[in-house]
Amino acid sequence: MGRETYWAEDPDPLLRVGAGFRLADRDTNATPGFDGSKKDGEAALAEGAAILADLQERLFAAGTLGDRRSVLLVLQAMDTAGKGGIVTHVVGQMNLGGVRYAGFKRPTQEELAHDFLWRVWNHVPGAGEVGVFDRSHYEDVLIGRVRGLAEDDEIERRYQAINDFELELAETGTTIVKVMLHLSKGEQKKRLADRLDRADKHWKYTPGDVDERLLWDSYQDAYQVVFDRTSTAYAPWYVVPADRKWFARIAVQHLLIHALEELELDWPKPDYDLDLEKARLAAS
Amino acid sequence: MGRETYWAEDPDPLLRVGAGFRLADRDTNATPGFDGSKKDGEAALAEGAAILADLQERLFAAGTLGDRRSVLLVLQAMDTAGKGGIVTHVVGQMNLGGVRYAGFKRPTQEELAHDFLWRVWNHVPGAGEVGVFDRSHYEDVLIGRVRGLAEDDEIERRYQAINDFELELAETGTTIVKVMLHLSKGEQKKRLADRLDRADKHWKYTPGDVDERLLWDSYQDAYQVVFDRTSTAYAPWYVVPADRKWFARIAVQHLLIHALEELELDWPKPDYDLDLEKARLAAS
């Protein structure tokens, strides 16, 4: 668990989707690997932010000097599960200059005129970058499947196409971390009600949110298929309990920290003559 | 000065480039409008971060419901002046989902095959967004002028082209805030020396940094011309003293807060039937 001190047990294997995984069996309110309170979790998030920022800077530094590696975080979830909070409170702690964030919305006409992976390629992280997909190509087998936005054959084809795409990224140096924030249907109801009750939250609600909610079970089934078919050794899925926002944040932060620690990033050696440059600077 | 409590005087007019402005007369070590210590400044930054995040969310919310307005922060500076710190500690406090960050580096062959404004258009903020240019089209009249990267006539042409471009943005709803972080030559020497002295900073140094430093006076002159020709009522320049990083951060944060407050952003009214949606949610 590297430099983080606050985990009772490494959450990585506890959250990872492996053989026989059943989404329906997972507790959305649990805090796997963490024994503390909400207050402890908030302190942990601040501690982890400094660790994550340091590791991300090392990755970026390496990238400037020829290291081709990168990290890609894929975020998927039902509405209100807390993706926005992850982006603000976890991703936002890193230096934006090295973060490539992409929020995928309803595809444009131009995007629909191409294969579903076309728009995604444009946003994959480059050398030294941490890419963040806020929604992703998985929408094309989630809402795509639930709402029948493509023929059945095409939906079936996409799972393997996704695996091939992610293998291509992994083989060329991208560590892929895929996260589903796992919310209960009851907690979603509370959060949507909150949006309808508060004037400063009305804009976050659209009638489509309830339309999607009415298809809850179909979405859960579609996620199960995603996990069955696309959780691979080179691009594993993690299911993070999300009823407690503070836990989801430290968990996703940990997954990023873990991915970066695995890269064993040293500060790169300078590619210039240190003594010569010190002399030039002194004379300037 | 709105909701910020820590300014002795509104720094906006103190930092703004007006008629008769002389860069050479400005103190890089000053803290215009702020009487406190470094510690006070750090506390102020945290207080301002919450204000800025709230205002940015209001802008984003308005954008989702048809408000076309946006904000564009342009950052220019000599090396080591602290642009990276502004991005991390000021821009990073906003929700990335509504921030459009663009770091402009040495132009690619494709970019060079186009007019200098071509690559910039691709990154202007959309409705509801805060755009951030980390370096910008001003490089084309700064390094472009100092190093003679274009013919004199072309460099001359660009000042008016920039004003026309910025007027187009302003007329279509973009509030433009242009900031030059103003560092002393002595402070830059210290910061470059620090990069050469620390293994974790070596990657931030390139021999080109001293090459540019040797042209210090030419760059100061080029900035003066920029201020004379492109500080307009619709896109003013601000020169922020940057020898004290903590001051530069609260100053830029204030300029963003001020720009957003001027928009008088209320939470948008819902474009759906609130009671109907409450009933639908309750039944779901």
Side-chain angles (χ1 to χ4, degrees):
Chain A
M1 287 173 285
R3 285 183 284 165
E4 297 160 271
T5 59
Y6 39 82
W7 292 101
E9 187 180 347
D10 185 353
D12 191 292
L14 303 176
L15 301 173
R16 196 171 179 130
V17 171
F21 175 90
R22 294 296 309 161
L23 181 62
D25 297 340
R26 292 297 174 117
D27 181 358
T28 56
N29 198 37
T31 61
F34 194 79
D35 287 343
S37 64
K38 177 177 179 178
K39 197 175 162 194
D40 297 330
E42 288 168 348
L45 187 70
E47 186 181 331
I51 297 170
L52 178 57
D54 173 74
L55 289 165
Q56 182 248 332
E57 189 177 24
R58 287 169 186 260
L59 177 66
F60 186 77
T64 64
L65 287 164
D67 192 324
R68 302 285 298 172
R69 293 178 296 175
S70 62
V71 170
L72 173 61
L73 174 67
V74 173
L75 290 173
Q76 285 289 157
M78 298 298 284
D79 285 328
T80 77
K83 286 191 289 83
I86 297 286
V87 170
T88 299
H89 297 286
V90 180
V91 176
Q93 301 298 331
M94 295 185 282
N95 189 321
L96 266 186
V99 172
R100 191 173 171 87
Y101 169 87
F104 291 99
K105 299 186 167 60
R106 183 193 295 260
T108 64
Q109 285 302 314
E110 188 185 19
E111 288 167 351
L112 288 170
H114 293 82
D115 175 63
F116 78 108
L117 292 172
W118 179 74
R119 66 174 184 162
V120 179
W121 270 105
N122 190 35
H123 296 283
V124 299
E129 289 183 328
V130 175
V132 177
F133 284 0
D134 183 349
R135 305 188 187 273
S136 68
H137 45 297
Y138 284 97
E139 290 295 324
D140 297 279
V141 289
L142 288 165
I143 190 171
R145 182 185 184 98
V146 170
R147 293 199 170 271
L149 303 180
E151 299 293 327
D152 290 352
D153 285 357
E154 168 60 12
I155 298 286
E156 284 301 308
R157 189 193 69 80
R158 288 178 182 171
Y159 298 102
Q160 186 59 44
I162 286 172
N163 288 339
D164 293 344
F165 163 66
E166 292 177 353
L167 181 61
E168 171 75 13
L169 296 187
E171 286 183 338
T172 51
T174 302
T175 300
I176 303 170
V177 177
K178 300 185 296 197
V179 171
M180 186 248 194
L181 299 177
H182 186 30
L183 191 70
S184 69
K185 196 175 178 188
E187 180 65 22
Q188 191 199 46
K189 192 169 196 167
K190 278 189 215 161
R191 294 184 186 179
L192 287 174
D194 187 53
R195 292 183 179 183
L196 288 169
D197 281 341
R198 289 175 50 177
D200 62 336
K201 302 253 190 188
H202 286 161
W203 68 277
K204 290 191 171 185
Y205 178 91
T206 65
D209 295 346
V210 167
D211 298 341
E212 295 300 288
R213 177 174 169 74
L214 292 171
L215 299 167
W216 186 275
D217 291 346
S218 299
Y219 275 105
Q220 300 294 302
D221 291 345
Y223 272 107
Q224 181 66 49
V225 178
V226 161
F227 300 140
D228 292 343
R229 310 243 333 234
T230 68
S231 197
T232 56
Y234 53 85
W237 273 102
Y238 295 88
V239 169
V240 172
D243 282 1
R244 305 182 201 225
K245 289 181 180 177
W246 62 266
F247 175 76
R249 292 171 189 171
I250 58 171
V252 176
Q253 186 185 64
H254 171 79
L255 295 174
L256 281 173
I257 288 172
H258 181 74
L260 286 160
E261 283 181 337
E262 290 283 303
L263 301 182
E264 299 183 354
L265 294 155
D266 286 325
W267 294 109
K269 296 274 172 285
D271 60 351
Y272 50 82
D273 181 330
L274 209 50
D275 290 333
L276 173 65
E277 294 302 322
K278 285 182 182 176
R280 287 181 70 222
L281 177 62
S284 72
Chain B
M1 287 173 287
R3 285 183 284 166
E4 298 160 270
T5 59
Y6 39 83
W7 293 100
E9 188 180 347
D10 185 354
D12 191 290
L14 303 176
L15 301 173
R16 195 168 178 134
V17 171
F21 175 89
R22 296 293 311 158
L23 181 62
D25 297 340
R26 292 299 174 115
D27 182 358
T28 56
N29 198 38
T31 62
F34 193 80
D35 288 342
S37 64
K38 176 176 179 178
K39 195 175 164 194
D40 297 329
E42 289 167 349
L45 187 71
E47 188 180 330
I51 297 170
L52 178 58
D54 174 74
L55 289 165
Q56 183 248 334
E57 189 177 23
R58 287 169 186 258
L59 177 67
F60 185 79
T64 62
L65 286 165
D67 191 325
R68 303 284 299 169
R69 293 178 297 174
S70 62
V71 171
L72 173 61
L73 173 68
V74 173
L75 290 172
Q76 284 290 156
M78 299 296 287
D79 286 328
T80 76
K83 284 190 291 82
I86 297 287
V87 171
T88 299
H89 298 286
V90 179
V91 176
Q93 301 297 330
M94 294 183 281
N95 189 321
L96 265 187
V99 173
R100 190 170 172 89
Y101 169 87
F104 290 99
K105 299 186 168 62
R106 182 193 295 262
T108 64
Q109 284 303 312
E110 188 185 20
E111 288 167 352
L112 288 171
H114 293 82
D115 176 62
F116 78 107
L117 292 173
W118 179 74
R119 67 174 183 161
V120 178
W121 271 106
N122 190 35
H123 297 283
V124 298
E129 289 184 329
V130 175
V132 178
F133 285 1
D134 184 349
R135 303 186 186 275
S136 68
H137 44 299
Y138 285 97
E139 290 295 325
D140 297 280
V141 289
L142 289 166
I143 191 170
R145 182 185 183 98
V146 171
R147 292 200 169 270
L149 301 180
E151 299 294 326
D152 290 352
D153 286 357
E154 167 61 12
I155 298 286
E156 283 303 306
R157 188 191 70 80
R158 288 178 183 171
Y159 298 102
Q160 187 59 45
I162 285 172
N163 288 339
D164 292 344
F165 163 65
E166 292 177 355
L167 181 61
E168 171 75 14
L169 296 187
E171 287 184 339
T172 52
T174 302
T175 299
I176 303 171
V177 177
K178 301 186 295 198
V179 171
M180 185 245 193
L181 300 177
H182 187 29
L183 192 70
S184 68
K185 196 174 177 188
E187 181 64 22
Q188 191 199 47
K189 192 169 196 167
K190 277 188 215 160
R191 293 185 188 180
L192 287 173
D194 187 52
R195 291 183 179 182
L196 287 169
D197 280 342
R198 289 174 50 177
D200 64 336
K201 302 255 189 186
H202 286 161
W203 69 277
K204 290 191 170 187
Y205 178 91
T206 65
D209 294 345
V210 167
D211 299 341
E212 294 300 288
R213 178 174 167 75
L214 293 170
L215 299 168
W216 186 273
D217 291 345
S218 299
Y219 274 105
Q220 301 295 301
D221 292 345
Y223 271 107
Q224 181 66 49
V225 178
V226 160
F227 300 140
D228 292 343
R229 310 240 340 230
T230 68
S231 196
T232 56
Y234 53 85
W237 273 102
Y238 295 89
V239 169
V240 172
D243 282 3
R244 304 182 201 223
K245 289 181 181 175
W246 63 265
F247 175 76
R249 291 171 190 171
I250 58 170
V252 176
Q253 186 184 65
H254 171 77
L255 295 173
L256 282 173
I257 288 172
H258 181 74
L260 286 160
E261 283 180 338
E262 291 284 303
L263 301 183
E264 299 183 353
L265 294 155
D266 286 325
W267 293 110
K269 298 272 173 285
D271 60 350
Y272 49 82
D273 181 331
L274 210 48
D275 291 333
L276 173 65
E277 294 304 322
K278 285 181 182 177
R280 289 182 69 222
L281 178 61
S284 72

